Structure formats: structure tokens, C-alpha cells
Amino acid sequence: MLGAALGAGLSAPFVRSARAAGGRTIRVGYQRYGTLIILKHTGYLEQALARSGDRVEWSEHPAGPQMLQAMGSGALDFGITGDTPPIFAQAASSRIVYVAHEPPAPQGEAIIVPKGSPITSVAGLKGKSVALNRGSNVHWLLLRALQHAGLTSADINPVYLPPAAGRPAFDTGRVDAWAIWDPYLSSVEVGSSPRLLTTAQGLVQNRQFLLADRAFTTAHPDLVQETLRQLDRSDRWAQAHKENVSQYLAADTGLPLDVVRRAINRLSFGVSPMTPDVVAEQQQIADTFAAQHLIPGRLDVSKAIWHAPA
């Protein structure tokens, strides 16, 4: 586990100097669903940071692209997003770095159409409108699904909408299809039983990535490591207590319990350091988006990987 790996990498003098620093704040961004909001609920990070006189400041964001925009502007130190937002963020700025990743969750995102739609496959999206949050994890899913069906993004009419606007557009028929992730996916599944054209299974990994401001990781690597340790601890607890997690997230978000329970059962838990194979996955996404001129040019993802101090 990541916690053990990071713990072994901290020398005693480094830990003493970190504890002596004190009075610092790590600003953490989270979404209304996912492992960081679970960490927020456990209080593990607050308890750990209090021992060194430090604190955490939480802020909610509607999706990964908006979270990384805040980080890129210097308003956030640490956050979590899907696989695609970091690509757009790196294309816009050199200040954001990957610090860890979570396991794949391919059932946690999908491309859907209304249950009465005549569209029965991804190939049937040719000439149709598809709602998605631009630069989010489902943007990559959509590109890969189209490619697998022998289509390109030029064959559809993408309608870029955040999740809160995507749902009414989908429900009222203003778009033909919707590429969306949990818990929004679970919510519409429970509410209207749409037809799934495809999930990410067999197409993309749908990993979550922990990201941080590069300058913050340089100035306060111990805070980043402690946050990862406590997230790993929270993940291990959540894996064993999914019903508890579902109940308090339902109460916190206002979503029905059956919606949250469905989403949590598809969520993957665990925190791991970045590895060459995971970096290669991200490089494939970057190369695909560059080839389709969705980002300005080719990126070297390896230049955005944080290496924890030994």
C-alpha cells in the first residue's frame, strides 16, 4: 500500500523538521462523490495534521476540469480527477503534477441514451448529439468508443455541458446521448432506466488521479505525503464499510441511498504511486487528444510526475 511505501521513505530528521514547521494549510479540492469526500468525512487528515500544528481547508468542485482550473490559478494545492482533466491541465500549465493514482473503475462511467431511443449501439451515434463535460474522463471514453465503432469525433455533434446541465438536456431530449460518470450515472439509471450503449469496460481504464500544485509539492512534500497516507487509510476503511459510506454520502449529498449505494459498489479503492505503465496510459490519452487537435500539441506526461523525497 502507498501508506507503507511513503512511511518507509521518510527519514527521522525529515519528520522532525516537518513537525517543527507547523501552522501550514493544505487546500484540498473534492467532488461530491469519490474517495476524497470520504477522507473528509473520516476526519483522518485533520487528526494527522493537528499533530504538527497544520490544517486542511476543503473546497467542493463540480467536476475535474473545474478543480484543475482552480489548481492552475493557484487557488488549490491538492485534488482528485479522472484521467483526462490532467491532460488538459498540463497543456495549459506546467504547475500541476501527478502524485498517485487509484485502481480502474470501468463500470463507473458510460454512454447512455433514453430507454426508448432508436439508437442501440455506439455506431448509431453518427450524426447525433452527445452531451459531455469537455476535458473530463468521459471525453476519453467517448473518443475510444467512437474509434472502436469506426467513427471519429467529427461524426457526432458534441454538446459540452457540465453534469448539472447535462441531466436536464438528456431528460428532455435536447441531446440524443450522454457520456457521464457516477454518481450522476447511477442517478439517471435509477431514475429513468436508460439504455447503456457502453461502459468503459474494455475501452479505457477510468482511473482517478491524485494531483497537486508543483510549487506546493516542492515547498511541503511532507504534507502531500501525509495526505496520501491518510487517503490510503481512508480507502482501506471504506472498502470494508461500503454501506456506512453509502449512508453518510447519501445524507451529505441529498442523493437517494440506492443511487449512492449503486455508485459506491462500482468505485475502486486504494492509493498507489505512479508507475511507468500508468504513465504510458496517460501518454496515450495525451497523444490521442493532440492528434485530434483538442490540445495545442504533444505533451510529455513524464514531466508532470512528482517524485516523493527519499
Side-chain angles (χ1 to χ4, degrees):
M1 302 295 283
L2 182 67
L6 288 177
L10 288 178
S11 66
F14 183 83
V15 173
R16 284 197 298 271
S17 64
R19 288 177 177 167
R24 301 165 300 172
T25 298
I26 181 169
R27 299 167 299 173
V28 178
Y30 67 94
Q31 299 178 51
R32 68 186 316 207
Y33 163 79
T35 55
L36 276 184
I37 193 173
I38 297 171
L39 174 62
K40 180 176 183 289
H41 273 278
T42 65
Y44 289 165
L45 184 56
E46 284 84 350
Q47 296 163 18
L49 294 183
R51 292 194 289 269
S52 57
D54 298 311
R55 61 185 294 271
V56 57
E57 180 181 291
W58 299 94
S59 62
E60 183 179 339
H61 300 264
Q66 292 88 335
M67 184 182 298
L68 293 190
Q69 286 171 9
M71 191 177 292
S73 69
L76 203 62
D77 304 315
F78 188 95
I80 188 169
T81 76
D83 45 27
T84 305
I87 302 300
F88 281 78
Q90 187 182 356
S93 169
S94 62
R95 68 182 302 163
I96 294 170
V97 292
Y98 297 81
V99 298
H101 71 91
E102 295 187 328
Q107 299 298 325
E109 61 177 357
I111 302 171
I112 59 176
V113 295
K115 62 182 177 181
S117 171
I119 303 170
T120 59
S121 67
V122 174
L125 293 175
K126 186 172 183 178
K128 304 300 184 181
S129 58
V130 182
L132 70 150
N133 194 44
R134 185 179 188 274
S136 68
N137 57 341
V138 293
H139 203 156
W140 174 230
L141 168 62
L142 179 60
L143 289 184
R144 288 287 289 156
L146 291 172
Q147 182 184 46
H148 192 259
L151 303 176
T152 71
S153 56
D155 291 312
I156 64 164
N157 175 28
V159 180
Y160 297 123
L161 296 171
R167 177 66 186 269
F170 180 78
D171 286 344
T172 59
R174 297 202 307 273
V175 295
D176 298 303
W178 192 20
I180 191 58
W181 65 89
D182 274 331
Y184 308 102
L185 173 60
S186 290
S187 180
V188 71
E189 284 180 316
V190 170
S192 59
S193 302
R195 177 182 299 135
L196 267 68
L197 298 185
T198 186
T199 66
Q201 189 71 49
L203 292 171
V204 301
Q205 295 293 328
N206 189 32
R207 294 183 191 273
Q208 294 292 300
F209 288 92
L210 289 309
L211 301 121
D213 177 82
R214 188 186 296 271
F216 187 87
T217 64
T218 300
H220 308 293
D222 57 305
L223 290 187
V224 176
Q225 290 173 308
E226 190 62 63
T227 302
L228 291 173
R229 270 193 293 268
Q230 297 307 319
L231 177 59
D232 188 59
R233 177 187 174 198
S234 173
D235 272 8
R236 285 184 277 115
W237 177 85
Q239 180 67 53
H241 299 86
K242 288 187 175 181
E243 182 59 25
N244 302 71
V245 171
S246 298
Q247 289 179 7
Y248 68 63
L249 283 187
D252 185 76
T253 63
L255 291 169
L257 178 58
D258 54 346
V259 168
V260 179
R261 184 183 288 126
R262 186 185 188 102
I264 289 296
N265 283 335
R266 297 193 290 219
L267 184 63
S268 297
F269 296 95
V271 184
S272 300
M274 296 297 292
T275 56
D277 59 322
V278 175
V279 173
E281 289 175 10
Q282 288 300 100
Q283 189 62 58
Q284 182 188 13
I285 300 175
D287 291 345
T288 301
F289 276 79
Q292 299 205 18
H293 307 290
L294 293 169
I295 57 176
R298 190 180 187 278
L299 299 178
D300 184 349
V301 173
S302 67
K303 292 183 177 178
I305 307 301
W306 179 63
H307 300 283

